[in-house]
Amino acid sequence: MTVSFKNGKASRRQFLTGAAAAGAGTVAASVAKAAGDPLITEKQVWAQATGDGVDATPYGLPIEFESDVVRRNVEWLTADTISSINFTPIHALDGTITPQGCAFERHHSGAIEMRKEDYRLMINGLVDTPLVFTYEDLERFPRENHVYFCECAANTGMEWAGAQLNGAQFTHGMIHNMEYTGVPLRTLLNEAGIQTEGKWVYVEGADASSNGRSIPLEKALDDVLVAFKANGEALRKEHGYPVRLVVPGWEGNMWVKWLRRIEVTNQAVESREETSKYTDTLADGTSRKWTWVMDAKSVVTSPSPQAPIKHGKGPLVITGLAWSGRGAITRVDVSIDGGKNWQEARLGAPGSKGAMSRFYLDINWDGQEMFLQSRAHDDTGYVQPTKTQLRDVRGLNSIYHNNCIQTWWVRSNGEAENVEIS
Ligand code: MTE
Ligand code: CO
């Protein structure tokens, strides 16, 4: 089979290595075909005049042809857009870093606007010296850079009872993965001096919802970051500008945005108020609490319902994302026959704890229908469960923490659908 590349940018060498990786088939435009192709033979409009000057877009935006690669929401999911969620277009991205403009948003009372000058962070409670930091104060502490994923506990939550939403963006898009710059929370807590009775921190945001959550002190002193940059630039308003909490590997709800106050307490404030926030209802009706860590999970992002195969049979790159809150991703398996046979995928880079991994499986597709699945392994030995295995333990009444194996039914015309197979 032949493929013509409209922009002619892919080199012959790339074609050859691509084909070799796939094991068979040719991914190259024939010279004969190129001869009759006006994109090769005619001078194009973009070569007939000069382009935009350097001052056209002081802050660069994606080119108009990529305008469909955007966050989307599902209107019927929430009553309004203020206390709502939208989804990262994971089906259209590659690599592992989520651009901030594509990163899902979850607000309980809308995204607020605050100037750096008006920012204050208070540390109080069981500390020797209660402290208040300005933004400038935070900038004077030694800072670190780390890449971490943030996954809402509700990600994939609509899929418990059956295959529901038709697209990786909607089934798995409540996640983003960014490089954060910030000060370890440990540094600030030590500055205030934690008293011996201190066992938890209660963290809250400056928005109307405040999104208060308790975090065990052990975690707070381990790898939690008070972050003010993401992917090198200031946090976007919707991700908590100017400062948010980064709680590696733990559910997104604890990543408090517009971070305003940290109170050292001797018990979890949630248990003090007897709230039942973020529990998982099990098959027998009982509730599972304190499920903070996000278990290993993965999804094939392409092909998928929003990213069908357009080129027919032959060389095909199957790709997706894998992550684990407990450790680094060590391996991802891909099945094209609904889990009967598995092949080990290639990781884009060695896994890193709490960060996303990209995987690829390069195959020579015979054009037959596929039941595509991926299965993540992390360095604790944990293996991502099937939907049946997860339901056996958790029943059908949960919303949160659904990390089961996803299935896409790819038909021979290349279109894909969200399905369940038992
Ligand atoms: N922090 C505040 N202050 N207010 C919020 O509504 N939502 C939480 C968390 N932190 C929230 C918050 C939830 S449920 C999630 S999943 C993450 O922020 C989402 O972060 P993002 O909007 O940057 O994707
Ligand atoms: Co959430």
Side-chain angles (χ1 to χ4, degrees):
M1 70 149 268
T2 58
V3 175
S4 57
F5 283 85
K6 283 192 176 157
N7 60 14
K9 269 186 189 151
S11 71
R12 183 169 164 73
R13 205 178 144 265
Q14 279 169 307
F15 291 154
L16 293 175
T17 46
T26 315
V27 189
S30 69
V31 174
K33 200 168 175 190
D37 183 352
L39 284 160
I40 301 285
T41 58
E42 307 297 319
K43 191 165 187 173
Q44 301 298 314
V45 279
W46 50 82
Q48 292 170 18
T50 53
D52 289 341
V54 292
D55 55 354
T57 41
Y59 189 93
L61 292 170
I63 196 163
E64 61 189 292
F65 313 125
E66 298 294 319
S67 60
D68 59 335
V69 183
V70 288
R71 299 185 281 227
R72 291 183 195 280
N73 61 357
V74 175
E75 271 170 32
W76 52 261
L77 217 55
T78 51
D80 59 44
T81 58
I82 305 298
S83 179
S84 192
I85 188 138
N86 61 20
F87 302 85
T88 307
I90 52 171
H91 64 288
L93 302 175
D94 212 317
T96 56
I97 297 293
T98 316
Q100 284 203 72
C102 283
F104 88 96
E105 307 164 66
R106 170 75 176 107
H107 319 302
H108 291 81
S109 51
I112 57 166
E113 203 163 273
M114 189 199 302
R115 299 184 318 154
K116 276 181 191 160
E117 294 79 2
D118 299 331
Y119 182 74
R120 299 289 183 273
L121 171 61
M122 176 185 287
I123 298 189
N124 68 338
L126 300 171
V127 291
D128 297 335
T129 323
L131 294 172
V132 174
F133 302 97
T134 63
Y135 185 86
E136 276 189 340
D137 291 338
L138 294 180
E139 283 185 311
R140 297 176 65 189
F141 287 98
R143 63 185 89 131
E144 296 180 4
N145 294 316
H146 297 278
V147 176
Y148 293 124
F149 73 82
C150 170
E151 183 182 17
C152 182
N155 199 19
T156 324
M158 281 78 76
E159 304 291 314
W160 276 106
Q164 175 100 319
L165 298 172
N166 218 19
Q169 176 169 22
F170 304 111
T171 55
H172 290 75
M174 290 184 198
I175 191 160
H176 49 64
N177 188 64
M178 310 207 236
E179 184 197 40
Y180 293 97
T181 302
V183 178
L185 176 56
R186 175 195 336 117
T187 307
L188 303 180
L189 288 172
N190 288 340
E191 191 83 1
I194 305 159
Q195 296 182 347
T196 45
E197 318 88 86
K199 296 282 177 283
W200 295 76
V201 290
Y202 179 71
V203 287
E204 65 179 17
D207 53 330
S209 81
S210 89
N211 197 80
R213 287 295 303 263
S214 293
I215 300 174
L217 193 59
E218 202 184 16
K219 177 71 174 174
L221 294 174
D222 181 15
D223 53 4
V224 175
L225 276 185
V226 174
F228 38 84
K229 294 275 163 74
N231 300 341
E233 61 179 354
L235 289 167
R236 295 281 165 84
K237 172 172 100 175
E238 59 269 36
H239 301 302
Y241 180 92
V243 179
R244 91 170 304 166
L245 205 64
V246 167
V247 189
W250 288 31
E251 61 189 22
N253 189 257
M254 304 177 109
W255 294 48
V256 171
K257 303 191 278 192
W258 314 289
L259 181 65
R260 178 182 103 96
R261 195 170 68 91
I262 297 164
E263 182 185 339
V264 178
T265 61
N266 61 358
Q267 60 177 314
V269 170
E270 287 90 335
S271 52
R272 198 155 72 195
E273 291 170 356
E274 289 180 351
T275 59
S276 58
K277 215 169 180 181
Y278 283 74
T279 54
D280 302 314
T281 309
L282 302 182
D284 63 3
T286 59
S287 287
R288 208 171 67 122
K289 223 166 107 162
W290 304 143
T291 48
W292 301 305
V293 186
M294 303 308 291
D295 284 316
K297 186 166 166 180
S298 69
V299 65
V300 171
T301 52
S302 178
S304 65
Q306 297 159 286
I309 306 169
K310 295 200 178 126
H311 53 60
K313 64 182 183 180
L316 169 70
V317 175
I318 298 171
T319 187
L321 292 163
W323 60 94
S324 166
R326 295 190 193 277
I329 292 294
T330 49
R331 184 175 132 189
V332 180
D333 305 316
V334 171
S335 174
I336 62 170
D337 57 11
K340 289 194 200 94
N341 298 286
W342 294 94
Q343 298 179 66
E344 190 170 343
R346 182 165 58 84
L347 294 184
S352 163
K353 190 178 179 193
M356 275 187 158
S357 287
R358 167 66 57 180
F359 64 85
Y360 298 100
L361 184 71
D362 310 291
I363 67 162
N364 192 31
W365 184 41
D366 60 6
Q368 298 298 305
E369 68 172 14
M370 295 184 280
F371 289 92
L372 261 186
Q373 299 185 331
S374 62
R375 182 172 70 185
H377 303 242
D378 70 21
D379 63 7
T380 68
Y382 181 92
V383 184
Q384 185 183 0
T386 64
K387 206 162 189 176
T388 310
Q389 286 168 338
L390 194 67
R391 279 180 181 154
D392 285 348
V393 183
R394 304 270 304 281
L396 291 173
N397 299 324
S398 285
I399 296 174
Y400 303 116
H401 294 274
N402 181 350
N403 70 321
C404 73
I405 290 172
Q406 170 67 39
T407 311
W408 305 126
W409 172 36
V410 183
R411 276 172 280 162
S412 43
N413 67 3
E415 281 168 16
E417 244 177 80
N418 180 6
V419 295
E420 227 177 68
I421 48 172
S422 47

